[in-house]
Amino acid sequence: MAAAQGRLSDGAGGMDDANEGDRDGGTSAPLPFRAAVDALRAARLRPQIEVEPTPAPKRLAPFAYALEATVVDGDQDLADGRLVLLHDPDGHDAWRGTFRLVTLVRAELEPEMAADPLLPDVCWSWLTGALQARGLAYGEPSGTVTRASSHYFGGLAERPAASQIEIRASWTPREGLGGVPDTGAHLASWCDLLAQVAGLPPAGPGDASVVTLPQRRGPQSR
């Protein structure tokens, strides 16, 4: 599965433009934002989840930093997503804070799972449950859960029908000392959501490794 693309929204616009210069955590960015970005870069994550920085949107906030992730099992990509950290030092009325996390997560579904009428509610509970399981305080959550089915005809008729789930969400992480939220823990909870959507079992006590965010990798065959 290709890395998640498209538009993420928290009510402030799209995600299809990239920030430039040091709006992504460089030396002229505010100290709280730089500290929050450093915590994302230092997070300890499950080894099945490949995470790397990606261009962040320009118009959602004065400062933004973005990551994309893929859940990998052997040569299969099971789920993917994008997480964007937004920061407005002056605060934002809709956020009720100076930071906001915005995400898109998507995965292919088994037919019987796609037919479950409770699936959207379950997927949303996976997001909130992942945050609560790590004891994270947050506010103003909002989002959508969408499922789509594809059926093939003509020259593509031999392909089996396919279903996909997509979670778009945003929330305000509560700020700690120095006005900095625990973004590393929020990233870890987001990876828990990715793993659950992908159908991975819960992580065991030793099932985490230090993942330093690499430079963008070139095309890879799975």
Side-chain angles (χ1 to χ4, degrees):
M1 183 185 298
Q5 299 293 332
R7 299 172 65 86
L8 302 186
S9 176
D10 66 344
M15 283 198 55
D16 45 357
D17 294 316
N19 274 326
E20 296 178 353
D22 46 17
R23 292 165 57 88
D24 62 354
T27 54
S28 70
L31 181 58
F33 179 69
R34 296 188 342 239
V37 170
D38 287 344
L40 289 174
R41 290 170 173 160
R44 298 173 61 90
L45 308 174
R46 292 180 64 158
Q48 300 97 329
I49 300 179
E50 297 181 356
V51 182
E52 62 184 5
T54 190
K58 284 182 178 180
R59 299 186 180 95
L60 295 184
F63 301 93
Y65 182 80
L67 302 170
E68 62 183 17
T70 305
V71 182
V72 178
D73 181 18
D75 61 352
Q76 289 186 310
D77 292 354
L78 302 180
D80 62 15
R82 182 179 291 186
L83 182 69
V84 179
L85 174 68
L86 305 176
H87 179 55
D88 186 339
D90 295 328
H92 194 294
D93 290 342
W95 303 353
R96 296 184 181 271
T98 62
F99 285 90
R100 188 76 170 171
L101 286 163
V102 187
T103 186
L104 165 65
V105 171
R106 64 184 185 181
E108 302 296 327
L109 294 174
E110 297 295 333
E112 56 272 18
M113 189 175 184
D116 187 343
L118 296 178
L119 180 65
D121 299 274
V122 170
C123 288
W124 184 256
S125 73
W126 286 346
L127 169 62
T128 58
L131 293 168
Q132 293 165 4
R134 292 183 179 270
L136 294 172
Y138 65 95
E140 309 306 316
S142 64
T144 62
V145 177
T146 306
R147 55 183 162 189
S149 298
S150 298
H151 299 265
Y152 300 94
F153 301 92
L156 302 176
E158 293 184 358
R159 292 189 183 182
S163 298
Q164 186 181 73
I165 193 73
E166 182 179 273
I167 303 170
R168 295 172 181 261
S170 62
W171 65 94
T172 298
R174 291 299 180 228
E175 298 164 13
L177 294 175
V180 182
D182 189 352
T183 51
H186 280 270
L187 173 59
S189 71
W190 180 70
C191 287
D192 292 341
L193 169 66
L194 270 173
Q196 194 155 19
V197 170
L200 294 183
D207 193 22
S209 61
V210 176
V211 176
T212 56
L213 301 181
Q215 298 297 317
R216 289 185 60 85
R217 60 178 185 270
Q220 293 185 355
S221 59
R222 293 290 186 198

